Amino acid sequence: MDSIIFDLDGTLWDSRETVVMAWNKAIEQNDKIDHTLTKQHLKETMGLQMHEIMQKLFPNLNAEMHTEIIQSCGEIEGEYISERGGVLYENLEDVLKALAEKYKLYIVSNCQEGYIEAFYEYHELEKYFEDFENPGRTGLSKGENIKLIMERNGLKDPVYVGDTAGDRKAAKDAGIPFVYAKYGFGEVEDYDYAIEKFDDLLEIF
């Protein structure tokens, strides 16, 4: 193994408290949306791409309206994340520091452009990662973005760490082993390794 590629939400941190505030701020002026989002709403969409999230959260709106909401949510979300951050999982930085001494680390997340950068900015964790990718920047699926990271950085034997069935599928599509973060948001039945907490990565690798 030469590298570890991480999912972000539900794997490295929980940003739902901040994100739900940002998204509610973005949709409060829309007279076609008559409900407030909760952390549970966000949990149910983890692992999906933005257009899929819009279809799930706002099924009564058309694609054009979804695009407008994605843009407004993304702008406010970036500001909120940069100002407030999220909840890092226990001992996250210590584990990343130890792993980075042996392996190259990367992030591939189904998020909008600017989200991973905001994660880096608030928590000052960019120094542990070599590169990152997301569909907000490429328009590609998570599996395709994993392969893009592998090609761009010359990775020969990486693993992917994530917490949802979508993460498992992405790793399979990229042809690499999957580490299931059981403490995250999803339920996964098929995996190569599993961790109960982030520290467990040090025992596996």
Side-chain angles (χ1 to χ4, degrees):
M1 191 181 81
D2 61 357
S3 52
I4 305 172
I5 308 172
F6 292 95
D7 171 51
L8 183 47
D9 294 326
T11 302
L12 299 180
W13 75 345
D14 181 353
S15 66
R16 289 176 299 163
E17 191 73 45
T18 303
V19 171
V20 78
M21 286 192 295
W23 285 25
N24 280 325
K25 177 71 173 178
I27 67 176
E28 65 182 10
Q29 303 300 324
N30 192 314
D31 58 10
K32 292 183 173 60
I33 300 175
D34 59 2
H35 64 282
T36 300
L37 298 177
T38 66
K39 288 170 65 175
Q40 182 60 32
H41 285 128
L42 296 189
K43 182 177 180 180
E44 293 169 357
T45 66
M46 291 300 174
L48 302 178
Q49 291 202 20
M50 284 303 300
H51 70 279
E52 297 171 320
I53 292 174
M54 292 296 108
Q55 291 167 2
K56 188 174 182 66
L57 295 180
F58 311 113
N60 60 313
L61 302 182
N62 60 33
E64 183 179 355
M65 186 64 70
H66 285 164
T67 299
E68 292 180 11
I69 295 171
I70 288 172
Q71 183 174 352
S72 60
C73 284
E75 291 173 356
I76 298 176
E77 178 186 83
E79 295 175 9
Y80 275 47
I81 291 290
S82 294
E83 294 171 357
R84 296 171 171 82
V87 179
L88 300 179
Y89 289 118
E90 187 175 3
N91 298 327
L92 184 113
E93 184 166 6
D94 289 341
V95 174
L96 289 177
K97 182 178 180 180
L99 291 173
E101 292 176 355
K102 297 175 64 178
Y103 308 104
K104 292 183 177 180
L105 309 183
Y106 304 86
I107 296 176
V108 172
S109 173
N110 271 347
C111 60
Q112 301 177 76
E113 188 171 6
Y115 186 76
I116 297 174
E117 295 93 321
F119 163 76
Y120 283 162
E121 180 180 347
Y122 185 84
H123 293 289
E124 299 182 349
L125 295 173
E126 184 175 8
K127 57 183 173 288
Y128 300 114
F129 297 95
E130 303 288 328
D131 196 2
F132 68 90
E133 203 50 271
N134 59 74
R137 190 161 70 172
T138 67
L140 301 175
S141 70
K142 181 171 280 188
E144 291 169 324
N145 279 325
I146 291 174
K147 287 191 283 188
L148 183 60
I149 282 287
M150 291 168 62
E151 293 166 4
R152 195 159 68 205
N153 293 278
L155 308 184
K156 303 300 184 184
D157 190 24
V159 300
Y160 188 66
V161 184
D163 67 305
T164 68
D167 293 335
R168 171 65 184 116
K169 181 181 183 302
K172 187 175 182 179
D173 290 346
I176 63 176
F178 176 65
V179 182
Y180 172 35
K182 288 188 172 183
Y183 54 82
F185 301 133
E187 297 292 334
V188 181
E189 296 181 357
D190 180 26
Y191 47 83
D192 299 289
Y193 307 93
I195 53 175
E196 299 285 348
K197 57 187 187 305
F198 197 71
D199 306 59
D200 291 347
L201 287 173
L202 296 179
E203 297 180 13
I204 296 176
F205 305 125

Short mmCIF file of all heavy atoms in Angstrom, two decimals, residues 85-129:
data_model
loop_
_atom_site.label_atom_id
_atom_site.label_comp_id
_atom_site.label_asym_id
_atom_site.label_seq_id
_atom_site.Cartn_x
_atom_site.Cartn_y
_atom_site.Cartn_z
N GLY A 85 -16.20 25.81 10.91
CA GLY A 85 -15.66 24.46 10.83
C GLY A 85 -16.71 23.41 11.12
O GLY A 85 -17.90 23.64 10.99
N GLY A 86 -16.24 22.23 11.52
CA GLY A 86 -17.12 21.13 11.89
C GLY A 86 -16.52 20.39 13.06
O GLY A 86 -15.55 20.86 13.68
N VAL A 87 -17.08 19.23 13.36
CA VAL A 87 -16.58 18.43 14.48
C VAL A 87 -15.64 17.35 13.94
O VAL A 87 -16.07 16.43 13.24
CB VAL A 87 -17.74 17.76 15.25
CG1 VAL A 87 -17.19 16.90 16.39
CG2 VAL A 87 -18.70 18.82 15.79
N LEU A 88 -14.36 17.47 14.23
CA LEU A 88 -13.39 16.46 13.82
C LEU A 88 -13.57 15.21 14.68
O LEU A 88 -13.84 15.31 15.87
CB LEU A 88 -11.96 16.97 13.98
CG LEU A 88 -11.56 18.23 13.19
CD1 LEU A 88 -10.12 18.58 13.51
CD2 LEU A 88 -11.76 18.02 11.70
N TYR A 89 -13.40 14.05 14.08
CA TYR A 89 -13.48 12.83 14.87
C TYR A 89 -12.27 12.73 15.80
O TYR A 89 -11.21 13.29 15.53
CB TYR A 89 -13.62 11.61 13.97
CG TYR A 89 -14.98 11.56 13.31
CD1 TYR A 89 -15.12 11.62 11.93
CD2 TYR A 89 -16.13 11.50 14.09
CE1 TYR A 89 -16.38 11.60 11.34
CE2 TYR A 89 -17.39 11.49 13.50
CZ TYR A 89 -17.51 11.54 12.13
OH TYR A 89 -18.75 11.54 11.56
N GLU A 90 -12.45 12.02 16.89
CA GLU A 90 -11.48 11.98 17.98
C GLU A 90 -10.08 11.59 17.49
O GLU A 90 -9.92 10.64 16.75
CB GLU A 90 -11.95 10.99 19.05
CG GLU A 90 -11.11 11.00 20.31
CD GLU A 90 -11.68 10.10 21.40
OE1 GLU A 90 -12.68 9.43 21.14
OE2 GLU A 90 -11.10 10.09 22.50
N ASN A 91 -9.10 12.36 17.94
CA ASN A 91 -7.68 12.12 17.64
C ASN A 91 -7.35 12.20 16.15
O ASN A 91 -6.33 11.67 15.71
CB ASN A 91 -7.23 10.75 18.18
CG ASN A 91 -7.35 10.65 19.68
OD1 ASN A 91 -7.17 11.64 20.39
ND2 ASN A 91 -7.68 9.47 20.17
N LEU A 92 -8.20 12.87 15.39
CA LEU A 92 -8.03 12.89 13.94
C LEU A 92 -6.67 13.42 13.52
O LEU A 92 -5.96 12.78 12.73
CB LEU A 92 -9.14 13.71 13.28
CG LEU A 92 -9.05 13.67 11.75
CD1 LEU A 92 -10.23 12.93 11.15
CD2 LEU A 92 -8.97 15.06 11.15
N GLU A 93 -6.26 14.57 14.03
CA GLU A 93 -5.00 15.14 13.57
C GLU A 93 -3.81 14.29 13.97
O GLU A 93 -2.87 14.12 13.17
CB GLU A 93 -4.83 16.57 14.07
CG GLU A 93 -3.56 17.21 13.51
CD GLU A 93 -3.49 18.72 13.69
OE1 GLU A 93 -4.37 19.29 14.36
OE2 GLU A 93 -2.53 19.32 13.17
N ASP A 94 -3.83 13.74 15.15
CA ASP A 94 -2.72 12.88 15.58
C ASP A 94 -2.58 11.66 14.67
O ASP A 94 -1.47 11.26 14.31
CB ASP A 94 -2.93 12.41 17.02
CG ASP A 94 -2.76 13.53 18.04
OD1 ASP A 94 -2.13 14.55 17.68
OD2 ASP A 94 -3.24 13.38 19.16
N VAL A 95 -3.72 11.09 14.29
CA VAL A 95 -3.70 9.91 13.43
C VAL A 95 -3.24 10.29 12.02
O VAL A 95 -2.42 9.59 11.41
CB VAL A 95 -5.08 9.24 13.39
CG1 VAL A 95 -5.10 8.09 12.38
CG2 VAL A 95 -5.47 8.73 14.77
N LEU A 96 -3.75 11.41 11.50
CA LEU A 96 -3.32 11.87 10.18
C LEU A 96 -1.81 12.12 10.16
O LEU A 96 -1.12 11.75 9.20
CB LEU A 96 -4.06 13.15 9.78
CG LEU A 96 -5.54 13.03 9.44
CD1 LEU A 96 -6.12 14.41 9.16
CD2 LEU A 96 -5.76 12.10 8.26
N LYS A 97 -1.30 12.73 11.21
CA LYS A 97 0.12 13.01 11.28
C LYS A 97 0.94 11.73 11.24
O LYS A 97 1.96 11.64 10.51
CB LYS A 97 0.44 13.79 12.56
CG LYS A 97 1.90 14.19 12.70
CD LYS A 97 2.11 15.01 13.97
CE LYS A 97 3.57 15.42 14.10
NZ LYS A 97 3.80 16.22 15.34
N ALA A 98 0.51 10.73 11.98
CA ALA A 98 1.22 9.45 12.01
C ALA A 98 1.13 8.74 10.66
O ALA A 98 2.13 8.21 10.15
CB ALA A 98 0.65 8.57 13.11
N LEU A 99 -0.05 8.76 10.05
CA LEU A 99 -0.22 8.10 8.75
C LEU A 99 0.59 8.79 7.66
O LEU A 99 1.15 8.14 6.78
CB LEU A 99 -1.70 8.07 8.37
CG LEU A 99 -2.61 7.17 9.20
CD1 LEU A 99 -4.07 7.39 8.80
CD2 LEU A 99 -2.24 5.70 9.02
N ALA A 100 0.64 10.13 7.72
CA ALA A 100 1.34 10.90 6.69
C ALA A 100 2.84 10.65 6.71
O ALA A 100 3.53 10.93 5.72
CB ALA A 100 1.05 12.40 6.87
N GLU A 101 3.36 10.13 7.80
CA GLU A 101 4.79 9.80 7.86
C GLU A 101 5.10 8.54 7.05
O GLU A 101 6.25 8.31 6.67
CB GLU A 101 5.20 9.60 9.32
CG GLU A 101 5.16 10.90 10.13
CD GLU A 101 5.47 10.69 11.59
OE1 GLU A 101 5.63 9.51 11.99
OE2 GLU A 101 5.55 11.68 12.34
N LYS A 102 4.07 7.71 6.78
CA LYS A 102 4.28 6.45 6.07
C LYS A 102 3.62 6.41 4.68
O LYS A 102 4.09 5.73 3.78
CB LYS A 102 3.72 5.29 6.90
CG LYS A 102 4.40 5.09 8.24
CD LYS A 102 3.71 4.00 9.04
CE LYS A 102 3.79 2.65 8.36
NZ LYS A 102 3.13 1.59 9.17
N TYR A 103 2.51 7.15 4.55
CA TYR A 103 1.73 7.09 3.32
C TYR A 103 1.38 8.48 2.81
O TYR A 103 1.32 9.44 3.59
CB TYR A 103 0.41 6.33 3.55
CG TYR A 103 0.58 4.99 4.18
CD1 TYR A 103 0.26 4.79 5.53
CD2 TYR A 103 1.04 3.89 3.45
CE1 TYR A 103 0.41 3.55 6.13
CE2 TYR A 103 1.19 2.64 4.04
CZ TYR A 103 0.88 2.48 5.38
OH TYR A 103 1.04 1.25 5.96
N LYS A 104 1.09 8.58 1.54
CA LYS A 104 0.56 9.81 0.99
C LYS A 104 -0.96 9.81 1.19
O LYS A 104 -1.62 8.80 0.93
CB LYS A 104 0.91 9.93 -0.50
CG LYS A 104 2.40 10.13 -0.74
CD LYS A 104 2.70 10.31 -2.21
CE LYS A 104 4.18 10.58 -2.42
NZ LYS A 104 4.52 10.78 -3.88
N LEU A 105 -1.50 10.94 1.63
CA LEU A 105 -2.92 11.03 1.97
C LEU A 105 -3.66 11.96 1.01
O LEU A 105 -3.12 12.99 0.58
CB LEU A 105 -3.09 11.53 3.40
CG LEU A 105 -2.29 10.82 4.49
CD1 LEU A 105 -2.64 11.41 5.86
CD2 LEU A 105 -2.56 9.31 4.48
N TYR A 106 -4.90 11.60 0.70
CA TYR A 106 -5.72 12.35 -0.25
C TYR A 106 -7.17 12.39 0.22
O TYR A 106 -7.56 11.59 1.08
CB TYR A 106 -5.66 11.69 -1.64
CG TYR A 106 -4.26 11.53 -2.16
CD1 TYR A 106 -3.49 10.41 -1.83
CD2 TYR A 106 -3.68 12.50 -2.97
CE1 TYR A 106 -2.19 10.26 -2.29
CE2 TYR A 106 -2.37 12.37 -3.44
CZ TYR A 106 -1.64 11.25 -3.09
OH TYR A 106 -0.36 11.11 -3.54
N ILE A 107 -7.97 13.28 -0.36
CA ILE A 107 -9.40 13.35 -0.09
C ILE A 107 -10.16 13.34 -1.40
O ILE A 107 -9.83 14.08 -2.33
CB ILE A 107 -9.78 14.63 0.70
CG1 ILE A 107 -9.14 14.63 2.09
CG2 ILE A 107 -11.31 14.74 0.83
CD1 ILE A 107 -9.41 15.90 2.88
N VAL A 108 -11.18 12.49 -1.48
CA VAL A 108 -12.15 12.53 -2.58
C VAL A 108 -13.53 12.50 -1.95
O VAL A 108 -13.89 11.54 -1.27
CB VAL A 108 -11.99 11.34 -3.55
CG1 VAL A 108 -13.14 11.33 -4.56
CG2 VAL A 108 -10.66 11.44 -4.28
N SER A 109 -14.28 13.57 -2.15
CA SER A 109 -15.59 13.72 -1.53
C SER A 109 -16.63 14.16 -2.55
O SER A 109 -16.30 14.86 -3.51
CB SER A 109 -15.51 14.76 -0.40
OG SER A 109 -16.78 15.04 0.13
N ASN A 110 -17.88 13.75 -2.35
CA ASN A 110 -18.98 14.20 -3.22
C ASN A 110 -19.49 15.56 -2.74
O ASN A 110 -20.61 15.68 -2.23
CB ASN A 110 -20.13 13.19 -3.20
CG ASN A 110 -19.97 12.13 -4.27
OD1 ASN A 110 -19.16 12.27 -5.16
ND2 ASN A 110 -20.76 11.08 -4.18
N CYS A 111 -18.68 16.57 -2.89
CA CYS A 111 -19.06 17.89 -2.38
C CYS A 111 -18.90 18.94 -3.47
O CYS A 111 -18.43 18.66 -4.56
CB CYS A 111 -18.20 18.26 -1.17
SG CYS A 111 -16.43 18.31 -1.53
N GLN A 112 -19.30 20.15 -3.12
CA GLN A 112 -19.14 21.27 -4.04
C GLN A 112 -17.72 21.82 -3.97
O GLN A 112 -17.02 21.63 -2.98
CB GLN A 112 -20.14 22.37 -3.68
CG GLN A 112 -21.59 21.92 -3.73
CD GLN A 112 -22.52 23.01 -3.30
OE1 GLN A 112 -22.78 23.94 -4.05
NE2 GLN A 112 -23.04 22.92 -2.08
N GLU A 113 -17.34 22.51 -5.02
CA GLU A 113 -16.03 23.16 -5.03
C GLU A 113 -15.95 24.17 -3.90
O GLU A 113 -16.89 24.93 -3.67
CB GLU A 113 -15.80 23.84 -6.38
CG GLU A 113 -14.40 24.37 -6.55
CD GLU A 113 -14.12 24.85 -7.96
OE1 GLU A 113 -15.06 24.87 -8.78
OE2 GLU A 113 -12.96 25.19 -8.23
N GLY A 114 -14.86 24.17 -3.19
CA GLY A 114 -14.67 25.09 -2.07
C GLY A 114 -14.89 24.46 -0.71
O GLY A 114 -14.43 24.98 0.31
N TYR A 115 -15.57 23.31 -0.67
CA TYR A 115 -15.90 22.67 0.61
C TYR A 115 -14.67 22.07 1.27
O TYR A 115 -14.43 22.28 2.47
CB TYR A 115 -16.95 21.59 0.36
CG TYR A 115 -17.51 20.92 1.58
CD1 TYR A 115 -18.45 21.57 2.39
CD2 TYR A 115 -17.12 19.63 1.94
CE1 TYR A 115 -18.98 20.94 3.51
CE2 TYR A 115 -17.65 19.00 3.05
CZ TYR A 115 -18.59 19.65 3.83
OH TYR A 115 -19.11 19.03 4.94
N ILE A 116 -13.89 21.32 0.50
CA ILE A 116 -12.67 20.73 1.07
C ILE A 116 -11.68 21.83 1.44
O ILE A 116 -11.01 21.76 2.48
CB ILE A 116 -12.03 19.73 0.07
CG1 ILE A 116 -12.99 18.57 -0.19
CG2 ILE A 116 -10.69 19.21 0.60
CD1 ILE A 116 -12.53 17.61 -1.27
N GLU A 117 -11.62 22.88 0.61
CA GLU A 117 -10.74 24.00 0.91
C GLU A 117 -11.13 24.67 2.23
O GLU A 117 -10.27 25.08 3.02
CB GLU A 117 -10.79 25.03 -0.22
CG GLU A 117 -10.23 24.51 -1.55
CD GLU A 117 -11.30 23.94 -2.45
OE1 GLU A 117 -12.23 23.27 -1.94
OE2 GLU A 117 -11.21 24.14 -3.67
N ALA A 118 -12.45 24.77 2.48
CA ALA A 118 -12.93 25.37 3.74
C ALA A 118 -12.58 24.48 4.93
O ALA A 118 -12.23 24.97 6.01
CB ALA A 118 -14.44 25.61 3.66
N PHE A 119 -12.69 23.17 4.73
CA PHE A 119 -12.26 22.20 5.75
C PHE A 119 -10.79 22.40 6.09
O PHE A 119 -10.41 22.46 7.27
CB PHE A 119 -12.53 20.78 5.23
CG PHE A 119 -11.81 19.68 5.96
CD1 PHE A 119 -12.24 19.25 7.19
CD2 PHE A 119 -10.70 19.04 5.38
CE1 PHE A 119 -11.59 18.22 7.86
CE2 PHE A 119 -10.05 18.01 6.03
CZ PHE A 119 -10.50 17.61 7.28
N TYR A 120 -9.96 22.52 5.06
CA TYR A 120 -8.54 22.77 5.27
C TYR A 120 -8.32 24.08 6.03
O TYR A 120 -7.54 24.14 6.98
CB TYR A 120 -7.83 22.89 3.92
CG TYR A 120 -7.55 21.61 3.18
CD1 TYR A 120 -7.27 21.64 1.81
CD2 TYR A 120 -7.53 20.38 3.83
CE1 TYR A 120 -6.98 20.48 1.11
CE2 TYR A 120 -7.26 19.22 3.12
CZ TYR A 120 -6.98 19.27 1.77
OH TYR A 120 -6.71 18.13 1.07
N GLU A 121 -9.00 25.12 5.57
CA GLU A 121 -8.75 26.46 6.10
C GLU A 121 -9.08 26.57 7.58
O GLU A 121 -8.26 27.06 8.37
CB GLU A 121 -9.59 27.48 5.32
CG GLU A 121 -9.40 28.92 5.80
CD GLU A 121 -10.23 29.91 5.00
OE1 GLU A 121 -10.76 29.53 3.93
OE2 GLU A 121 -10.36 31.06 5.45
N TYR A 122 -10.26 26.09 7.97
CA TYR A 122 -10.66 26.25 9.37
C TYR A 122 -9.81 25.39 10.31
O TYR A 122 -9.38 25.85 11.37
CB TYR A 122 -12.14 25.92 9.56
CG TYR A 122 -12.60 26.21 10.97
CD1 TYR A 122 -13.00 27.48 11.33
CD2 TYR A 122 -12.59 25.21 11.96
CE1 TYR A 122 -13.39 27.76 12.64
CE2 TYR A 122 -12.97 25.48 13.26
CZ TYR A 122 -13.36 26.76 13.60
OH TYR A 122 -13.75 27.04 14.88
N HIS A 123 -9.58 24.14 9.94
CA HIS A 123 -8.91 23.20 10.84
C HIS A 123 -7.41 23.08 10.59
O HIS A 123 -6.71 22.34 11.31
CB HIS A 123 -9.57 21.82 10.74
CG HIS A 123 -10.98 21.81 11.26
ND1 HIS A 123 -11.29 21.91 12.60
CD2 HIS A 123 -12.16 21.74 10.60
CE1 HIS A 123 -12.60 21.88 12.75
NE2 HIS A 123 -13.15 21.78 11.56
N GLU A 124 -6.89 23.80 9.58
CA GLU A 124 -5.46 23.82 9.28
C GLU A 124 -4.88 22.42 9.10
O GLU A 124 -3.85 22.06 9.67
CB GLU A 124 -4.71 24.57 10.40
CG GLU A 124 -5.17 26.02 10.55
CD GLU A 124 -4.41 26.78 11.63
OE1 GLU A 124 -3.67 26.13 12.40
OE2 GLU A 124 -4.56 28.01 11.69
N LEU A 125 -5.53 21.64 8.26
CA LEU A 125 -5.13 20.25 8.05
C LEU A 125 -4.55 19.99 6.66
O LEU A 125 -4.18 18.86 6.35
CB LEU A 125 -6.32 19.32 8.29
CG LEU A 125 -6.86 19.28 9.72
CD1 LEU A 125 -8.14 18.47 9.78
CD2 LEU A 125 -5.81 18.72 10.67
N GLU A 126 -4.46 21.03 5.84
CA GLU A 126 -4.01 20.84 4.47
C GLU A 126 -2.62 20.22 4.40
O GLU A 126 -2.30 19.47 3.46
CB GLU A 126 -4.01 22.18 3.73
CG GLU A 126 -3.64 22.08 2.27
CD GLU A 126 -3.78 23.40 1.54
OE1 GLU A 126 -4.03 24.44 2.20
OE2 GLU A 126 -3.65 23.39 0.30
N LYS A 127 -1.80 20.48 5.40
CA LYS A 127 -0.41 20.01 5.38
C LYS A 127 -0.29 18.49 5.36
O LYS A 127 0.77 17.96 5.02
CB LYS A 127 0.35 20.57 6.57
CG LYS A 127 -0.24 20.25 7.93
CD LYS A 127 0.56 20.93 9.04
CE LYS A 127 -0.07 20.78 10.41
NZ LYS A 127 -1.30 21.62 10.55
N TYR A 128 -1.35 17.78 5.72
CA TYR A 128 -1.28 16.32 5.75
C TYR A 128 -1.69 15.67 4.43
O TYR A 128 -1.51 14.46 4.26
CB TYR A 128 -2.16 15.77 6.88
CG TYR A 128 -1.74 16.26 8.24
CD1 TYR A 128 -2.57 17.11 8.99
CD2 TYR A 128 -0.50 15.93 8.79
CE1 TYR A 128 -2.19 17.59 10.22
CE2 TYR A 128 -0.11 16.40 10.03
CZ TYR A 128 -0.96 17.23 10.75
OH TYR A 128 -0.57 17.70 11.98
N PHE A 129 -2.25 16.45 3.52
CA PHE A 129 -2.80 15.88 2.28
C PHE A 129 -2.05 16.37 1.05
O PHE A 129 -1.67 17.53 0.95
CB PHE A 129 -4.28 16.24 2.17
CG PHE A 129 -5.13 15.66 3.28
CD1 PHE A 129 -5.43 16.42 4.40
CD2 PHE A 129 -5.59 14.36 3.19
CE1 PHE A 129 -6.19 15.89 5.44
CE2 PHE A 129 -6.35 13.82 4.22
CZ PHE A 129 -6.66 14.58 5.34
#
